[in-house]
Amino acid sequence: MRTSRTTTLRRRWATVTAGALVTALAACSSPQTPPPTPDVTVAPTVTATKTAAPTPPKPPAVHPLTGVEGKPAKRPALAVKVENTSAARPQTGLEQADVVWETVVEFQVSRLVAVFQSQVPKEIGPIRSVRPMDPLIVQPLQGLLAFSGGQGGIVAKARSSAQILSNDLGVDGMYRSSARPAPHNVYANPKTLWKQANGSRDVPPGEQFLFARSADEAAAASEGKAAKKLAFSLSSAAKPTWSWDARSRTWLRSEGSTPSKAMSGKRLSAVNVVSIVARHPDSGYNAQGGAAVPTYRLVGQGKGMIAQGGKTVTVVWKKSSPGAPLRLFLPGGKPATLAPGNTWVELVPQGDGSVTVS
């Protein structure tokens, strides 16, 4: 019995040992499964590229007194006192002026201050004497003022506002023409006048009126009312009219009902016609026979109008000092711009003068 029990125990032990051995061998012979690799998200490599902000296009160069695109001339502004009586017409060179100012002087007649800078006519005239309103007109230009004599006090004021070039002082470039009787026969070669510019006067002018980039963006074209004719009454003897010409896109000038032409035969016209209403008092100087010589009060502000593109718009003019440019504003205070091109300024005597739009 004991032997039998012992034999049984030995068999059980052998079985257990053998099972354990098989398990151990199986474990040794089977490949080990590696632990799972965790998922890893790799961010893409991004190289930051710094791009400079685009440079805005540079505005095109324009002529300072017309706003017309083009390389500005390096010469100064040349203002010339031009006669406007029937004996002086047709005048020479006016069709090439950048700006023309029409003023009323003694005896109710008008005279012109024609300003040249972007174009060079061969000849300008007839040229007459300086008047008290001229310094206020030309001082902001910081250039040249050409005339044929004048009273001493007026000449002194002109000298403080511009470099003066006077025929009475023997300036080069002025001469008398045999084609007309005196005093309607003083003419000038502008190239010769420009050559005499000196010091601070030999520089281009700054912008005077403000100009839009295009005619469609100008104040009158964008905000004005349609108009076909402007009839000015500056005095009993000065009644210029302007008619809108859609074909040339300009205002055509007439003296009353007579079309105005230059000596070249070209019709006088303007892209912009500006009306400035200002006081027109006695200057204290006298002409022949004791006739009062008037001037204009152009420092301060007043009413005005711009005609352009077959339309007109009401404006307020402002001039802060004698040397400041005369600027135009819409009734709400926004600057009023002109269309690129030439300009005629009609100085309307306050209370005595008028303009009718139709």
Side-chain angles (χ1 to χ4, degrees):
M1 294 295 294
R2 184 176 182 183
T3 302
S4 176
R5 184 179 180 184
T6 301
T7 301
T8 300
L9 291 173
R10 286 178 178 177
R11 288 177 178 173
R12 290 179 178 176
W13 174 252
T15 300
V16 173
T17 303
L21 180 61
V22 171
T23 301
L25 290 175
C28 292
S29 62
S30 299
Q32 294 184 349
T33 302
T37 303
D39 293 335
V40 178
T41 301
V42 180
T45 302
V46 178
T47 302
T49 302
K50 294 184 178 180
T51 304
T55 302
K58 188 176 181 180
V62 298
H63 295 283
L65 302 185
T66 64
V68 174
E69 288 189 23
K71 185 178 181 180
K74 295 182 180 181
R75 54 181 165 264
L78 169 63
V80 183
K81 191 70 176 185
V82 177
E83 186 179 358
N84 191 40
T85 62
S86 58
R89 305 184 197 119
Q91 298 97 331
T92 300
L94 284 182
E95 73 275 28
Q96 291 182 271
D98 290 344
V99 186
V100 179
W101 298 71
E102 183 167 16
T103 69
V104 175
V105 296
E106 65 276 9
F107 304 117
Q108 299 294 303
V109 300
S110 76
R111 284 190 182 173
L112 311 174
V113 178
V115 184
F116 302 85
Q117 203 271 334
S118 68
Q119 299 185 62
V120 183
K122 293 181 179 179
E123 188 177 53
I124 303 171
I127 300 172
R128 294 301 297 270
S129 53
V130 68
R131 287 296 181 271
M133 68 284 294
D134 300 343
L136 283 172
I137 292 173
V138 304
Q139 187 171 342
L141 297 167
Q142 293 296 304
L144 312 176
L145 174 59
F147 52 87
S148 180
Q151 296 187 41
I154 302 175
V155 172
K157 290 182 178 180
R159 184 178 282 109
S160 66
S161 65
Q163 179 184 338
I164 63 171
L165 303 170
S166 174
N167 184 58
D168 287 13
L169 298 177
V171 68
D172 291 339
M174 286 191 189
Y175 45 87
R176 289 192 179 271
S177 169
S178 60
R180 285 181 172 170
H184 317 290
N185 62 346
V186 177
Y187 288 80
N189 181 324
K191 287 185 177 180
T192 304
L193 297 183
W194 265 308
K195 288 179 180 179
Q196 297 170 75
N198 58 57
S200 62
R201 304 299 187 183
D202 192 17
V203 294
E207 185 179 52
Q208 303 296 302
F209 294 114
L210 302 180
F211 289 92
R213 294 285 296 274
S214 69
D216 292 339
E217 296 174 303
S222 61
E223 303 191 37
K225 297 180 179 179
K228 294 182 178 180
K229 186 176 181 179
L230 315 172
F232 285 90
S233 177
L234 304 182
S235 69
S236 60
K239 299 183 182 295
T241 60
W242 297 86
S243 300
W244 172 246
D245 181 53
R247 184 175 181 179
S248 64
R249 302 288 299 171
T250 63
W251 294 92
L252 303 180
R253 179 181 170 87
S254 297
E255 294 291 342
S257 59
T258 304
S260 299
K261 293 184 178 181
M263 183 62 78
S264 64
K266 186 175 181 179
R267 183 74 181 269
L268 295 182
S269 63
V271 173
N272 308 285
V273 178
V274 176
S275 169
I276 298 297
V277 179
R279 291 176 56 201
H280 190 235
D282 181 356
S283 68
Y285 295 96
N286 295 322
Q288 300 95 320
V293 177
T295 188
Y296 286 87
R297 293 283 185 254
L298 293 179
V299 175
Q301 66 180 56
K303 296 179 180 180
M305 182 186 71
I306 298 172
Q308 176 266 325
K311 296 182 177 181
T312 61
V313 64
T314 299
V315 296
V316 174
W317 65 264
K318 296 182 180 181
K319 183 177 171 70
S320 59
S321 66
L326 188 148
R327 292 290 167 84
L328 307 173
F329 298 87
L330 295 172
K334 178 182 176 182
T337 54
L338 303 184
N342 70 319
T343 300
W344 276 64
V345 183
E346 301 286 6
L347 285 175
V348 181
Q350 183 177 317
D352 296 326
S354 65
V355 56
T356 302
V357 180
S358 58

